[in-house]
Amino acid sequence: MSIKINMDKARDIKRDIIRIERKPELEKLDVEYQRALEQNDQVKMAEIVEKKQKLRDAPAAEQIQTAETTQDLNKITLETLTK
C-alpha cells in the first residue's frame, strides 16, 4: 500500500510557512520605511515598497502552485521567491 500526498494541502502548508517566514522581514521593512519617511528619502521609500510587495506576493508564487512533489516544495524558500 502506498501513501498518497495531498499536494493541494502541501501547497497550502508551504504558503503558510512562507507567511510565517516573511512576517519579521515585513516588520523590519516597516521600521526602515518609517526612517526613510522621516528623512523624506523617496528613493529608499520606493525600494522598500518594492521589497515589501515581493514579500506580499511570495505565497501566491507560481512556483508553489506548479510544484508537483513535496521535494519541489521543499526547494522553495522565501529567499528564492523574493529575488
Side-chain angles (χ1 to χ4, degrees):
M1 188 158 117
S2 66
I3 297 174
K4 181 162 174 24
I5 304 292
N6 182 335
M7 284 305 294
D8 289 333
K9 183 65 177 171
R11 288 184 194 98
D12 288 342
I13 291 169
K14 185 62 174 187
R15 288 183 190 102
D16 289 342
I17 290 169
I18 294 296
R19 287 182 184 105
I20 291 167
E21 291 174 347
R22 75 176 180 184
K23 187 176 187 279
E25 294 297 318
L26 285 168
E27 290 171 351
K28 182 178 121 190
L29 289 171
D30 285 341
V31 172
E32 288 181 28
Y33 187 85
Q34 282 299 113
R35 289 187 181 139
L37 183 62
E38 290 171 357
Q39 298 169 356
N40 198 27
D41 187 343
Q42 299 295 321
V43 173
K44 184 72 172 172
M45 288 167 44
E47 290 172 3
I48 294 167
V49 167
E50 184 179 331
K51 288 178 185 178
K52 287 175 72 173
Q53 190 59 52
K54 285 182 180 180
L55 288 168
R56 286 187 201 106
D57 292 343
E62 185 177 335
Q63 293 161 304
I64 295 173
Q65 187 58 35
T66 59
E68 294 184 11
T69 66
T70 55
Q71 289 81 9
D72 293 341
L73 285 175
N74 287 334
K75 292 176 188 175
I76 300 170
T77 65
L78 181 61
E79 184 179 335
T80 61
L81 294 174
T82 58
K83 281 187 178 179

